[in-house]
Amino acid sequence: MIKKAVIPAAGFGTRFLPVTKSQPKEMLPVIDKPVIQYVVEEAVESGITDILMIIGKGKRSIEEHFDRNYELENELAIKNKEEQLQEVRKITGLANIHFVWQKELNGLGDAISYAKHHVGREPFAVLLGDTIIKSEQPLLKNLASIFERYGDSVVALEEVDPAIVSRYGVIGGDEIEKDLYAINQLIEKPKADEAPSNLVFAGRYIFAPEIFDCIDQTPPGINNEIQLTDAMRLLQKTNKLYGHRFSGKRFDIGNKLDFIKTNIVLGLEREDMNGDLKQFILNLAKEIS
Ligand code: G1P
């Protein structure tokens, strides 16, 4: 069973400036919860009990969000706001949450290397802190069950428009069963004509602990950063690496348009607002069409 997860959340969020000047992108609200809480909830629903967040400068509000706030709890208790009190208390009870600080922003691979000591020699999950996945079952749970079956690292893959593959880590491989690939090629942000496919890493991974040794041996790659994809390419030389093409939607909150879409899609699922929101969208669609 995979019990430990790592959530990298140290980046500056430059694609979402100016709001990210003083506010971590992982703390941007989708309806009424910060993005990173959705990520933690997916991990917890997948069986994770221990989470290490890799954070950096300006990310203190993430720590505060997952810490208890006794003053607020007292206030809510005195005012008999039971529902909000449970909501606030639930956050700290989700999992054992730990933090470590990435000293310099040297890439995703470098960020994950900060988890080496905490994780030890056991398999673990990685969930990008700025990515919400909407799928029937929690995506990480699907990856965990593939890991149980095959006993080797497995990552989530998404099929994207070939025109935009250069934004992602891209794989090549053989489909060994429906939606499951044995990966044999990995390139981070290739040019469109050099990409082996349009299957890209989608922000959820389960790794054997050997990934840490591979990161240690990985030189800086594209953008002069230690890329997780480059470390995975080394891992794939000695261990098997599987890719699961998931069905569902990935929302990259670092991207402004995705952020707006996420609020709408998840808002339409909320009982307390879906009727009004749907009506608003229908009226708006008439106005602008
Ligand atoms: C990172 C990974 C990339 C992956 C992407 C998914 O890139 O390096 O392999 O496809 O996340 O969002 P970034 O978005 O940090 O440039």
Side-chain angles (χ1 to χ4, degrees):
M1 282 288 274
I2 311 290
K3 291 285 170 204
K4 287 184 181 168
V6 177
I7 301 183
F12 280 132
T14 44
R15 286 178 297 157
F16 220 133
L17 281 167
V19 69
T20 44
K21 183 172 175 235
S22 61
Q23 168 85 344
K25 63 178 166 177
E26 297 81 5
M27 285 301 291
L28 293 173
V30 172
I31 324 287
D32 52 8
K33 280 194 288 193
V35 173
I36 199 163
Q37 190 177 332
Y38 289 88
V39 179
V40 168
E41 285 172 358
E42 179 191 334
V44 170
E45 283 164 25
S46 308
I48 298 293
T49 53
D50 181 289
I51 295 174
L52 178 70
M53 295 187 182
I54 319 285
I55 56 171
K57 192 176 154 41
K59 302 281 181 165
R60 188 144 297 156
S61 58
I62 299 181
E63 290 174 68
E64 273 173 24
H65 184 70
F66 291 99
D67 194 5
R68 283 194 77 168
N69 182 337
Y70 293 102
E71 276 179 12
L72 175 65
E73 287 181 27
N74 275 342
E75 190 69 14
L76 293 171
I78 291 167
K79 294 191 169 151
N80 278 327
K81 300 201 164 172
E82 196 51 38
E83 204 179 312
Q84 283 105 322
L85 181 60
Q86 292 315 324
E87 198 64 49
V88 164
R89 281 206 178 131
K90 190 187 95 179
I91 303 168
T92 32
L94 284 169
N96 288 318
I97 299 184
H98 314 264
F99 296 91
V100 65
W101 287 261
Q102 188 181 13
K103 294 190 189 79
E104 282 172 49
L105 299 185
N106 285 335
L108 184 55
D110 179 63
I112 302 303
S113 75
Y114 281 78
K116 185 176 182 174
H117 179 70
H118 184 87
V119 167
R121 301 308 290 179
E122 59 179 286
F124 66 102
V126 172
L127 302 96
L128 299 190
D130 61 358
T131 300
I132 294 179
I133 303 278
K134 190 173 126 36
S135 53
E136 233 166 72
Q137 269 224 73
L139 175 53
L140 192 69
K141 197 172 184 176
N142 287 344
L143 295 185
S145 76
I146 296 169
F147 182 87
E148 298 290 319
R149 255 191 303 140
Y150 286 84
D152 264 306
S153 304
V154 53
V155 303
L157 300 174
E158 182 188 3
E159 210 164 348
V160 298
D161 180 342
I164 60 163
V165 281
S166 57
R167 297 181 195 167
Y168 300 100
V170 185
I171 68 118
D174 303 315
E175 192 168 10
I176 53 169
E177 62 178 73
K178 190 174 179 306
D179 296 331
L180 189 67
Y181 290 78
I183 297 177
N184 52 35
Q185 273 180 286
L186 304 93
I187 312 179
E188 182 65 21
K189 302 189 174 54
K191 295 198 179 95
D193 57 355
E194 286 166 10
S197 76
N198 62 338
L199 287 170
V200 307
F201 299 122
R204 300 291 185 266
Y205 314 75
I206 289 180
F207 288 122
E210 286 81 7
I211 191 71
F212 291 120
D213 311 324
C214 298
I215 296 173
D216 286 348
Q217 293 164 36
T218 300
I222 196 149
N223 300 333
N224 206 25
E225 291 176 339
I226 311 282
Q227 297 293 345
L228 183 60
T229 301
D230 294 341
M232 285 158 63
R233 190 174 329 103
L234 287 182
L235 181 72
Q236 176 263 322
K237 287 187 178 151
T238 50
N239 295 49
K240 286 217 163 61
L241 178 63
Y242 297 99
H244 164 56
R245 177 175 46 197
F246 80 101
S247 40
K249 267 192 177 309
R250 180 181 61 91
F251 295 103
D252 170 4
I253 306 300
N255 164 322
K256 293 174 194 177
L257 185 60
D258 258 24
F259 174 74
I260 294 171
K261 289 182 187 170
T262 315
N263 271 284
I264 294 172
V265 172
L266 298 191
L268 285 171
E269 287 185 353
R270 284 273 299 251
E271 267 175 30
D272 56 344
M273 65 176 69
N274 58 5
D276 289 345
L277 182 59
K278 190 173 166 189
Q279 202 49 56
F280 169 76
I281 293 169
L282 291 172
N283 292 345
L284 188 65
K286 265 191 223 147
E287 257 176 64
I288 61 178
S289 63

